[in-house]
Amino acid sequence: TVDVLLQAHGGVAGAVRLRAVRGARCHRKARGSPAVRAELPSLVPEDSADALGRFRKVMTVLYAAGGALHFPDLLGQGPISSACGTSSFSELSPLLQAVTAGWAFLGPAASFGLATGKPWGDAIVVAVASCEVVLGIDFADAMAPSPIPAPVVAAQIVSL
């Protein structure tokens, strides 16, 4: 880590602690000056390995959140069931119960697998995304009262 003193015109703006980030660069403002300018890493991946790593980081967060949002629905009225207008897990159709349970358990499992670099984390993401695409397109009526929203299906297609 590096302690950096940020200077503004006529005074000190504040102090910041930076940690080394892959691809980040620091430059001294001028010879003998204590001010340092830090550049954030590029938004454009360096290569395919970097792009895949960034994708896995995003999916780690999204699948953990998906599991966290679906798990309370197993125990009673959670945020997803509330949004769909049901008051308990037992009111859901067997298909919706399977989808809810799948997300509740497979979301965190995929997140853990992705975060630790396990190939089965990738496999779970592909399986869950594939199921949501198939269910969202071919079985939308069977998913009533809560079909998978079209933007979610589109996002899962893109993730595949």
Side-chain angles (χ1 to χ4, degrees):
T1 60
V2 176
D3 289 325
V4 178
L5 190 61
L6 299 175
Q7 295 181 338
H9 292 287
V12 174
V16 177
R17 177 163 284 194
L18 300 175
R19 62 185 176 101
V21 178
R22 184 175 163 199
R25 294 181 213 111
C26 292
H27 303 282
R28 289 221 178 258
K29 182 177 176 186
R31 187 179 297 208
S33 173
V36 175
R37 179 175 50 103
E39 295 177 7
L40 297 174
S42 172
L43 293 176
V44 178
E46 294 175 12
D47 54 24
S48 60
D50 184 34
L52 184 57
R54 291 178 184 204
F55 173 77
R56 285 180 175 143
K57 285 179 184 177
V58 170
M59 298 310 281
T60 296
V61 173
L62 293 176
Y63 273 67
L69 287 170
H70 283 81
F71 192 80
D73 292 320
L74 298 176
L75 307 174
Q77 188 173 3
I80 303 295
S81 59
S82 294
C84 298
T86 60
S87 60
S88 71
F89 182 73
S90 61
E91 287 183 14
L92 298 174
S93 69
L95 182 59
L96 286 175
Q97 288 178 351
V99 169
T100 301
W103 260 110
F105 296 109
L106 293 176
S111 180
F112 179 75
L114 291 170
T116 57
K118 305 291 186 216
W120 49 264
D122 293 325
I124 293 172
V125 167
V126 169
V128 169
S130 297
C131 286
E132 285 210 333
V133 169
V134 169
L135 291 172
I137 293 173
D138 295 331
F139 297 95
D141 294 338
M143 298 288 288
S146 56
I148 299 170
V152 172
V153 174
Q156 293 291 22
I157 291 170
V158 170
S159 76
L160 288 174

PDB file of all heavy atoms in Angstrom, residues 84-122:
ATOM      1  N   CYS A  84     -43.302 -11.213  -6.514  1.00  0.00           N
ATOM      2  CA  CYS A  84     -44.166 -11.990  -7.416  1.00  0.00           C
ATOM      3  C   CYS A  84     -45.582 -12.148  -6.880  1.00  0.00           C
ATOM      4  O   CYS A  84     -46.417 -12.800  -7.514  1.00  0.00           O
ATOM      5  CB  CYS A  84     -43.557 -13.371  -7.653  1.00  0.00           C
ATOM      6  SG  CYS A  84     -41.959 -13.288  -8.457  1.00  0.00           S
ATOM      7  N   GLY A  85     -45.844 -11.630  -5.707  1.00  0.00           N
ATOM      8  CA  GLY A  85     -47.186 -11.664  -5.160  1.00  0.00           C
ATOM      9  C   GLY A  85     -47.568 -12.960  -4.459  1.00  0.00           C
ATOM     10  O   GLY A  85     -48.749 -13.226  -4.274  1.00  0.00           O
ATOM     11  N   THR A  86     -46.615 -13.772  -4.066  1.00  0.00           N
ATOM     12  CA  THR A  86     -46.921 -14.985  -3.304  1.00  0.00           C
ATOM     13  C   THR A  86     -46.478 -14.782  -1.864  1.00  0.00           C
ATOM     14  O   THR A  86     -45.563 -14.016  -1.578  1.00  0.00           O
ATOM     15  CB  THR A  86     -46.217 -16.231  -3.898  1.00  0.00           C
ATOM     16  OG1 THR A  86     -44.814 -16.026  -3.861  1.00  0.00           O
ATOM     17  CG2 THR A  86     -46.664 -16.489  -5.309  1.00  0.00           C
ATOM     18  N   SER A  87     -47.139 -15.492  -0.950  1.00  0.00           N
ATOM     19  CA  SER A  87     -46.824 -15.286   0.460  1.00  0.00           C
ATOM     20  C   SER A  87     -46.017 -16.425   1.075  1.00  0.00           C
ATOM     21  O   SER A  87     -45.583 -16.319   2.209  1.00  0.00           O
ATOM     22  CB  SER A  87     -48.111 -15.073   1.258  1.00  0.00           C
ATOM     23  OG  SER A  87     -48.948 -16.211   1.130  1.00  0.00           O
ATOM     24  N   SER A  88     -45.828 -17.520   0.341  1.00  0.00           N
ATOM     25  CA  SER A  88     -45.019 -18.606   0.892  1.00  0.00           C
ATOM     26  C   SER A  88     -44.454 -19.478  -0.228  1.00  0.00           C
ATOM     27  O   SER A  88     -44.951 -19.471  -1.362  1.00  0.00           O
ATOM     28  CB  SER A  88     -45.839 -19.472   1.849  1.00  0.00           C
ATOM     29  OG  SER A  88     -46.782 -20.240   1.127  1.00  0.00           O
ATOM     30  N   PHE A  89     -43.453 -20.233   0.121  1.00  0.00           N
ATOM     31  CA  PHE A  89     -42.805 -21.140  -0.820  1.00  0.00           C
ATOM     32  C   PHE A  89     -43.788 -22.196  -1.325  1.00  0.00           C
ATOM     33  O   PHE A  89     -43.772 -22.566  -2.494  1.00  0.00           O
ATOM     34  CB  PHE A  89     -41.608 -21.804  -0.122  1.00  0.00           C
ATOM     35  CG  PHE A  89     -40.810 -22.723  -0.996  1.00  0.00           C
ATOM     36  CD1 PHE A  89     -39.988 -22.222  -1.986  1.00  0.00           C
ATOM     37  CD2 PHE A  89     -40.862 -24.089  -0.815  1.00  0.00           C
ATOM     38  CE1 PHE A  89     -39.235 -23.067  -2.792  1.00  0.00           C
ATOM     39  CE2 PHE A  89     -40.117 -24.947  -1.613  1.00  0.00           C
ATOM     40  CZ  PHE A  89     -39.301 -24.424  -2.600  1.00  0.00           C
ATOM     41  N   SER A  90     -44.681 -22.652  -0.442  1.00  0.00           N
ATOM     42  CA  SER A  90     -45.629 -23.714  -0.821  1.00  0.00           C
ATOM     43  C   SER A  90     -46.643 -23.248  -1.874  1.00  0.00           C
ATOM     44  O   SER A  90     -47.230 -24.071  -2.565  1.00  0.00           O
ATOM     45  CB  SER A  90     -46.357 -24.243   0.411  1.00  0.00           C
ATOM     46  OG  SER A  90     -47.093 -23.206   1.021  1.00  0.00           O
ATOM     47  N   GLU A  91     -46.849 -21.934  -2.001  1.00  0.00           N
ATOM     48  CA  GLU A  91     -47.771 -21.411  -3.020  1.00  0.00           C
ATOM     49  C   GLU A  91     -47.186 -21.459  -4.424  1.00  0.00           C
ATOM     50  O   GLU A  91     -47.922 -21.334  -5.403  1.00  0.00           O
ATOM     51  CB  GLU A  91     -48.154 -19.959  -2.703  1.00  0.00           C
ATOM     52  CG  GLU A  91     -49.091 -19.813  -1.537  1.00  0.00           C
ATOM     53  CD  GLU A  91     -49.492 -18.363  -1.314  1.00  0.00           C
ATOM     54  OE1 GLU A  91     -49.264 -17.523  -2.216  1.00  0.00           O
ATOM     55  OE2 GLU A  91     -50.018 -18.070  -0.242  1.00  0.00           O
ATOM     56  N   LEU A  92     -45.876 -21.628  -4.521  1.00  0.00           N
ATOM     57  CA  LEU A  92     -45.234 -21.680  -5.832  1.00  0.00           C
ATOM     58  C   LEU A  92     -45.491 -23.026  -6.484  1.00  0.00           C
ATOM     59  O   LEU A  92     -45.632 -24.046  -5.808  1.00  0.00           O
ATOM     60  CB  LEU A  92     -43.726 -21.465  -5.692  1.00  0.00           C
ATOM     61  CG  LEU A  92     -43.266 -20.125  -5.119  1.00  0.00           C
ATOM     62  CD1 LEU A  92     -41.760 -20.136  -4.900  1.00  0.00           C
ATOM     63  CD2 LEU A  92     -43.668 -18.981  -6.031  1.00  0.00           C
ATOM     64  N   SER A  93     -45.510 -23.042  -7.814  1.00  0.00           N
ATOM     65  CA  SER A  93     -45.647 -24.301  -8.547  1.00  0.00           C
ATOM     66  C   SER A  93     -44.383 -25.130  -8.318  1.00  0.00           C
ATOM     67  O   SER A  93     -43.338 -24.588  -7.929  1.00  0.00           O
ATOM     68  CB  SER A  93     -45.826 -24.018 -10.039  1.00  0.00           C
ATOM     69  OG  SER A  93     -44.620 -23.507 -10.578  1.00  0.00           O
ATOM     70  N   PRO A  94     -44.441 -26.432  -8.535  1.00  0.00           N
ATOM     71  CA  PRO A  94     -43.232 -27.256  -8.367  1.00  0.00           C
ATOM     72  C   PRO A  94     -42.047 -26.753  -9.210  1.00  0.00           C
ATOM     73  O   PRO A  94     -40.906 -26.795  -8.755  1.00  0.00           O
ATOM     74  CB  PRO A  94     -43.684 -28.646  -8.812  1.00  0.00           C
ATOM     75  CG  PRO A  94     -45.153 -28.663  -8.552  1.00  0.00           C
ATOM     76  CD  PRO A  94     -45.615 -27.255  -8.835  1.00  0.00           C
ATOM     77  N   LEU A  95     -42.328 -26.267 -10.400  1.00  0.00           N
ATOM     78  CA  LEU A  95     -41.258 -25.734 -11.241  1.00  0.00           C
ATOM     79  C   LEU A  95     -40.612 -24.508 -10.593  1.00  0.00           C
ATOM     80  O   LEU A  95     -39.384 -24.397 -10.523  1.00  0.00           O
ATOM     81  CB  LEU A  95     -41.798 -25.383 -12.629  1.00  0.00           C
ATOM     82  CG  LEU A  95     -40.782 -24.845 -13.642  1.00  0.00           C
ATOM     83  CD1 LEU A  95     -39.662 -25.840 -13.879  1.00  0.00           C
ATOM     84  CD2 LEU A  95     -41.484 -24.495 -14.939  1.00  0.00           C
ATOM     85  N   LEU A  96     -41.449 -23.597 -10.085  1.00  0.00           N
ATOM     86  CA  LEU A  96     -40.909 -22.406  -9.413  1.00  0.00           C
ATOM     87  C   LEU A  96     -40.201 -22.763  -8.118  1.00  0.00           C
ATOM     88  O   LEU A  96     -39.207 -22.125  -7.748  1.00  0.00           O
ATOM     89  CB  LEU A  96     -42.018 -21.397  -9.145  1.00  0.00           C
ATOM     90  CG  LEU A  96     -42.514 -20.637 -10.368  1.00  0.00           C
ATOM     91  CD1 LEU A  96     -43.698 -19.754 -10.004  1.00  0.00           C
ATOM     92  CD2 LEU A  96     -41.397 -19.806 -10.960  1.00  0.00           C
ATOM     93  N   GLN A  97     -40.678 -23.771  -7.411  1.00  0.00           N
ATOM     94  CA  GLN A  97     -39.985 -24.228  -6.207  1.00  0.00           C
ATOM     95  C   GLN A  97     -38.591 -24.750  -6.563  1.00  0.00           C
ATOM     96  O   GLN A  97     -37.618 -24.466  -5.860  1.00  0.00           O
ATOM     97  CB  GLN A  97     -40.800 -25.312  -5.496  1.00  0.00           C
ATOM     98  CG  GLN A  97     -42.035 -24.781  -4.816  1.00  0.00           C
ATOM     99  CD  GLN A  97     -42.857 -25.892  -4.160  1.00  0.00           C
ATOM    100  OE1 GLN A  97     -42.609 -27.078  -4.338  1.00  0.00           O
ATOM    101  NE2 GLN A  97     -43.858 -25.478  -3.392  1.00  0.00           N
ATOM    102  N   ALA A  98     -38.498 -25.488  -7.669  1.00  0.00           N
ATOM    103  CA  ALA A  98     -37.201 -26.015  -8.102  1.00  0.00           C
ATOM    104  C   ALA A  98     -36.251 -24.884  -8.497  1.00  0.00           C
ATOM    105  O   ALA A  98     -35.068 -24.904  -8.140  1.00  0.00           O
ATOM    106  CB  ALA A  98     -37.393 -26.986  -9.261  1.00  0.00           C
ATOM    107  N   VAL A  99     -36.772 -23.891  -9.209  1.00  0.00           N
ATOM    108  CA  VAL A  99     -35.944 -22.750  -9.616  1.00  0.00           C
ATOM    109  C   VAL A  99     -35.476 -21.974  -8.378  1.00  0.00           C
ATOM    110  O   VAL A  99     -34.299 -21.609  -8.265  1.00  0.00           O
ATOM    111  CB  VAL A  99     -36.714 -21.830 -10.588  1.00  0.00           C
ATOM    112  CG1 VAL A  99     -35.971 -20.515 -10.812  1.00  0.00           C
ATOM    113  CG2 VAL A  99     -36.954 -22.541 -11.906  1.00  0.00           C
ATOM    114  N   THR A 100     -36.380 -21.747  -7.448  1.00  0.00           N
ATOM    115  CA  THR A 100     -36.031 -21.015  -6.228  1.00  0.00           C
ATOM    116  C   THR A 100     -34.981 -21.767  -5.413  1.00  0.00           C
ATOM    117  O   THR A 100     -33.980 -21.185  -4.976  1.00  0.00           O
ATOM    118  CB  THR A 100     -37.295 -20.766  -5.368  1.00  0.00           C
ATOM    119  OG1 THR A 100     -38.224 -20.009  -6.146  1.00  0.00           O
ATOM    120  CG2 THR A 100     -36.972 -20.012  -4.103  1.00  0.00           C
ATOM    121  N   ALA A 101     -35.195 -23.061  -5.220  1.00  0.00           N
ATOM    122  CA  ALA A 101     -34.223 -23.873  -4.472  1.00  0.00           C
ATOM    123  C   ALA A 101     -32.896 -23.933  -5.219  1.00  0.00           C
ATOM    124  O   ALA A 101     -31.817 -23.872  -4.592  1.00  0.00           O
ATOM    125  CB  ALA A 101     -34.776 -25.275  -4.239  1.00  0.00           C
ATOM    126  N   GLY A 102     -32.977 -24.060  -6.537  1.00  0.00           N
ATOM    127  CA  GLY A 102     -31.748 -24.086  -7.325  1.00  0.00           C
ATOM    128  C   GLY A 102     -30.922 -22.836  -7.134  1.00  0.00           C
ATOM    129  O   GLY A 102     -29.716 -22.901  -6.875  1.00  0.00           O
ATOM    130  N   TRP A 103     -31.573 -21.683  -7.218  1.00  0.00           N
ATOM    131  CA  TRP A 103     -30.852 -20.425  -7.017  1.00  0.00           C
ATOM    132  C   TRP A 103     -30.348 -20.290  -5.583  1.00  0.00           C
ATOM    133  O   TRP A 103     -29.239 -19.813  -5.348  1.00  0.00           O
ATOM    134  CB  TRP A 103     -31.739 -19.227  -7.363  1.00  0.00           C
ATOM    135  CG  TRP A 103     -31.448 -18.669  -8.713  1.00  0.00           C
ATOM    136  CD1 TRP A 103     -32.251 -18.741  -9.808  1.00  0.00           C
ATOM    137  CD2 TRP A 103     -30.284 -17.959  -9.116  1.00  0.00           C
ATOM    138  NE1 TRP A 103     -31.648 -18.120 -10.873  1.00  0.00           N
ATOM    139  CE2 TRP A 103     -30.427 -17.629 -10.476  1.00  0.00           C
ATOM    140  CE3 TRP A 103     -29.118 -17.579  -8.466  1.00  0.00           C
ATOM    141  CZ2 TRP A 103     -29.466 -16.928 -11.194  1.00  0.00           C
ATOM    142  CZ3 TRP A 103     -28.159 -16.886  -9.188  1.00  0.00           C
ATOM    143  CH2 TRP A 103     -28.335 -16.570 -10.525  1.00  0.00           C
ATOM    144  N   ALA A 104     -31.164 -20.694  -4.619  1.00  0.00           N
ATOM    145  CA  ALA A 104     -30.785 -20.546  -3.212  1.00  0.00           C
ATOM    146  C   ALA A 104     -29.503 -21.315  -2.884  1.00  0.00           C
ATOM    147  O   ALA A 104     -28.685 -20.853  -2.089  1.00  0.00           O
ATOM    148  CB  ALA A 104     -31.922 -21.008  -2.305  1.00  0.00           C
ATOM    149  N   PHE A 105     -29.329 -22.481  -3.511  1.00  0.00           N
ATOM    150  CA  PHE A 105     -28.161 -23.306  -3.204  1.00  0.00           C
ATOM    151  C   PHE A 105     -27.057 -23.202  -4.256  1.00  0.00           C
ATOM    152  O   PHE A 105     -25.874 -23.176  -3.913  1.00  0.00           O
ATOM    153  CB  PHE A 105     -28.582 -24.769  -3.014  1.00  0.00           C
ATOM    154  CG  PHE A 105     -29.491 -24.953  -1.825  1.00  0.00           C
ATOM    155  CD1 PHE A 105     -30.822 -25.236  -1.999  1.00  0.00           C
ATOM    156  CD2 PHE A 105     -29.008 -24.797  -0.532  1.00  0.00           C
ATOM    157  CE1 PHE A 105     -31.666 -25.384  -0.904  1.00  0.00           C
ATOM    158  CE2 PHE A 105     -29.833 -24.932   0.563  1.00  0.00           C
ATOM    159  CZ  PHE A 105     -31.171 -25.232   0.381  1.00  0.00           C
ATOM    160  N   LEU A 106     -27.441 -23.136  -5.517  1.00  0.00           N
ATOM    161  CA  LEU A 106     -26.436 -23.101  -6.575  1.00  0.00           C
ATOM    162  C   LEU A 106     -25.816 -21.712  -6.763  1.00  0.00           C
ATOM    163  O   LEU A 106     -24.663 -21.608  -7.188  1.00  0.00           O
ATOM    164  CB  LEU A 106     -27.036 -23.581  -7.896  1.00  0.00           C
ATOM    165  CG  LEU A 106     -27.422 -25.057  -7.933  1.00  0.00           C
ATOM    166  CD1 LEU A 106     -28.107 -25.403  -9.250  1.00  0.00           C
ATOM    167  CD2 LEU A 106     -26.219 -25.941  -7.693  1.00  0.00           C
ATOM    168  N   GLY A 107     -26.564 -20.651  -6.439  1.00  0.00           N
ATOM    169  CA  GLY A 107     -25.997 -19.300  -6.540  1.00  0.00           C
ATOM    170  C   GLY A 107     -24.759 -19.139  -5.669  1.00  0.00           C
ATOM    171  O   GLY A 107     -23.683 -18.782  -6.168  1.00  0.00           O
ATOM    172  N   PRO A 108     -24.860 -19.424  -4.366  1.00  0.00           N
ATOM    173  CA  PRO A 108     -23.672 -19.313  -3.509  1.00  0.00           C
ATOM    174  C   PRO A 108     -22.581 -20.323  -3.882  1.00  0.00           C
ATOM    175  O   PRO A 108     -21.396 -20.003  -3.797  1.00  0.00           O
ATOM    176  CB  PRO A 108     -24.203 -19.594  -2.105  1.00  0.00           C
ATOM    177  CG  PRO A 108     -25.658 -19.282  -2.179  1.00  0.00           C
ATOM    178  CD  PRO A 108     -26.080 -19.623  -3.574  1.00  0.00           C
ATOM    179  N   ALA A 109     -22.973 -21.526  -4.307  1.00  0.00           N
ATOM    180  CA  ALA A 109     -21.974 -22.519  -4.710  1.00  0.00           C
ATOM    181  C   ALA A 109     -21.194 -22.028  -5.925  1.00  0.00           C
ATOM    182  O   ALA A 109     -19.956 -22.131  -5.964  1.00  0.00           O
ATOM    183  CB  ALA A 109     -22.650 -23.860  -5.006  1.00  0.00           C
ATOM    184  N   ALA A 110     -21.900 -21.494  -6.913  1.00  0.00           N
ATOM    185  CA  ALA A 110     -21.232 -20.952  -8.099  1.00  0.00           C
ATOM    186  C   ALA A 110     -20.322 -19.796  -7.714  1.00  0.00           C
ATOM    187  O   ALA A 110     -19.184 -19.697  -8.185  1.00  0.00           O
ATOM    188  CB  ALA A 110     -22.257 -20.490  -9.127  1.00  0.00           C
ATOM    189  N   SER A 111     -20.815 -18.928  -6.835  1.00  0.00           N
ATOM    190  CA  SER A 111     -20.032 -17.784  -6.397  1.00  0.00           C
ATOM    191  C   SER A 111     -18.734 -18.233  -5.727  1.00  0.00           C
ATOM    192  O   SER A 111     -17.654 -17.721  -6.029  1.00  0.00           O
ATOM    193  CB  SER A 111     -20.863 -16.932  -5.428  1.00  0.00           C
ATOM    194  OG  SER A 111     -20.121 -15.828  -4.993  1.00  0.00           O
ATOM    195  N   PHE A 112     -18.833 -19.208  -4.850  1.00  0.00           N
ATOM    196  CA  PHE A 112     -17.644 -19.727  -4.169  1.00  0.00           C
ATOM    197  C   PHE A 112     -16.691 -20.371  -5.174  1.00  0.00           C
ATOM    198  O   PHE A 112     -15.478 -20.159  -5.125  1.00  0.00           O
ATOM    199  CB  PHE A 112     -18.043 -20.732  -3.082  1.00  0.00           C
ATOM    200  CG  PHE A 112     -16.869 -21.328  -2.361  1.00  0.00           C
ATOM    201  CD1 PHE A 112     -16.165 -20.589  -1.421  1.00  0.00           C
ATOM    202  CD2 PHE A 112     -16.455 -22.626  -2.642  1.00  0.00           C
ATOM    203  CE1 PHE A 112     -15.068 -21.138  -0.767  1.00  0.00           C
ATOM    204  CE2 PHE A 112     -15.366 -23.177  -1.994  1.00  0.00           C
ATOM    205  CZ  PHE A 112     -14.672 -22.428  -1.055  1.00  0.00           C
ATOM    206  N   GLY A 113     -17.240 -21.162  -6.093  1.00  0.00           N
ATOM    207  CA  GLY A 113     -16.402 -21.806  -7.099  1.00  0.00           C
ATOM    208  C   GLY A 113     -15.681 -20.807  -7.984  1.00  0.00           C
ATOM    209  O   GLY A 113     -14.497 -20.968  -8.287  1.00  0.00           O
ATOM    210  N   LEU A 114     -16.388 -19.765  -8.398  1.00  0.00           N
ATOM    211  CA  LEU A 114     -15.769 -18.735  -9.229  1.00  0.00           C
ATOM    212  C   LEU A 114     -14.701 -17.974  -8.458  1.00  0.00           C
ATOM    213  O   LEU A 114     -13.621 -17.685  -8.986  1.00  0.00           O
ATOM    214  CB  LEU A 114     -16.824 -17.758  -9.744  1.00  0.00           C
ATOM    215  CG  LEU A 114     -17.813 -18.306 -10.766  1.00  0.00           C
ATOM    216  CD1 LEU A 114     -18.938 -17.301 -10.997  1.00  0.00           C
ATOM    217  CD2 LEU A 114     -17.131 -18.657 -12.065  1.00  0.00           C
ATOM    218  N   ALA A 115     -14.990 -17.651  -7.206  1.00  0.00           N
ATOM    219  CA  ALA A 115     -14.053 -16.874  -6.388  1.00  0.00           C
ATOM    220  C   ALA A 115     -12.773 -17.649  -6.103  1.00  0.00           C
ATOM    221  O   ALA A 115     -11.705 -17.046  -5.937  1.00  0.00           O
ATOM    222  CB  ALA A 115     -14.717 -16.452  -5.082  1.00  0.00           C
ATOM    223  N   THR A 116     -12.866 -18.962  -6.053  1.00  0.00           N
ATOM    224  CA  THR A 116     -11.690 -19.788  -5.748  1.00  0.00           C
ATOM    225  C   THR A 116     -11.065 -20.408  -6.992  1.00  0.00           C
ATOM    226  O   THR A 116     -10.144 -21.208  -6.889  1.00  0.00           O
ATOM    227  CB  THR A 116     -12.057 -20.891  -4.742  1.00  0.00           C
ATOM    228  OG1 THR A 116     -13.131 -21.675  -5.263  1.00  0.00           O
ATOM    229  CG2 THR A 116     -12.457 -20.289  -3.391  1.00  0.00           C
ATOM    230  N   GLY A 117     -11.596 -20.052  -8.172  1.00  0.00           N
ATOM    231  CA  GLY A 117     -11.019 -20.531  -9.421  1.00  0.00           C
ATOM    232  C   GLY A 117     -11.283 -21.992  -9.738  1.00  0.00           C
ATOM    233  O   GLY A 117     -10.532 -22.616 -10.482  1.00  0.00           O
ATOM    234  N   LYS A 118     -12.356 -22.542  -9.206  1.00  0.00           N
ATOM    235  CA  LYS A 118     -12.700 -23.954  -9.449  1.00  0.00           C
ATOM    236  C   LYS A 118     -13.485 -24.084 -10.756  1.00  0.00           C
ATOM    237  O   LYS A 118     -14.400 -23.304 -11.013  1.00  0.00           O
ATOM    238  CB  LYS A 118     -13.532 -24.521  -8.301  1.00  0.00           C
ATOM    239  CG  LYS A 118     -12.895 -24.369  -6.931  1.00  0.00           C
ATOM    240  CD  LYS A 118     -11.686 -25.240  -6.808  1.00  0.00           C
ATOM    241  CE  LYS A 118     -11.166 -25.169  -5.385  1.00  0.00           C
ATOM    242  NZ  LYS A 118      -9.765 -25.226  -5.275  1.00  0.00           N
ATOM    243  N   PRO A 119     -13.176 -25.093 -11.563  1.00  0.00           N
ATOM    244  CA  PRO A 119     -13.915 -25.268 -12.819  1.00  0.00           C
ATOM    245  C   PRO A 119     -15.394 -25.562 -12.614  1.00  0.00           C
ATOM    246  O   PRO A 119     -16.224 -25.201 -13.452  1.00  0.00           O
ATOM    247  CB  PRO A 119     -13.216 -26.443 -13.504  1.00  0.00           C
ATOM    248  CG  PRO A 119     -12.055 -26.815 -12.679  1.00  0.00           C
ATOM    249  CD  PRO A 119     -12.081 -26.026 -11.426  1.00  0.00           C
ATOM    250  N   TRP A 120     -15.751 -26.173 -11.492  1.00  0.00           N
ATOM    251  CA  TRP A 120     -17.166 -26.459 -11.260  1.00  0.00           C
ATOM    252  C   TRP A 120     -17.961 -25.179 -11.016  1.00  0.00           C
ATOM    253  O   TRP A 120     -19.169 -25.163 -11.212  1.00  0.00           O
ATOM    254  CB  TRP A 120     -17.373 -27.471 -10.130  1.00  0.00           C
ATOM    255  CG  TRP A 120     -16.637 -27.196  -8.853  1.00  0.00           C
ATOM    256  CD1 TRP A 120     -15.430 -27.717  -8.465  1.00  0.00           C
ATOM    257  CD2 TRP A 120     -17.055 -26.337  -7.783  1.00  0.00           C
ATOM    258  NE1 TRP A 120     -15.079 -27.224  -7.235  1.00  0.00           N
ATOM    259  CE2 TRP A 120     -16.061 -26.386  -6.783  1.00  0.00           C
ATOM    260  CE3 TRP A 120     -18.172 -25.534  -7.581  1.00  0.00           C
ATOM    261  CZ2 TRP A 120     -16.148 -25.670  -5.597  1.00  0.00           C
ATOM    262  CZ3 TRP A 120     -18.263 -24.803  -6.397  1.00  0.00           C
ATOM    263  CH2 TRP A 120     -17.256 -24.882  -5.424  1.00  0.00           C
ATOM    264  N   GLY A 121     -17.305 -24.088 -10.633  1.00  0.00           N
ATOM    265  CA  GLY A 121     -18.003 -22.804 -10.520  1.00  0.00           C
ATOM    266  C   GLY A 121     -18.486 -22.342 -11.885  1.00  0.00           C
ATOM    267  O   GLY A 121     -19.623 -21.890 -12.041  1.00  0.00           O
ATOM    268  N   ASP A 122     -17.616 -22.487 -12.891  1.00  0.00           N
ATOM    269  CA  ASP A 122     -18.005 -22.150 -14.265  1.00  0.00           C
ATOM    270  C   ASP A 122     -19.141 -23.057 -14.734  1.00  0.00           C
ATOM    271  O   ASP A 122     -20.080 -22.598 -15.393  1.00  0.00           O
ATOM    272  CB  ASP A 122     -16.818 -22.309 -15.217  1.00  0.00           C
ATOM    273  CG  ASP A 122     -15.717 -21.295 -14.966  1.00  0.00           C
ATOM    274  OD1 ASP A 122     -16.034 -20.147 -14.602  1.00  0.00           O
ATOM    275  OD2 ASP A 122     -14.534 -21.650 -15.156  1.00  0.00           O
TER     276      ASP A 122
END
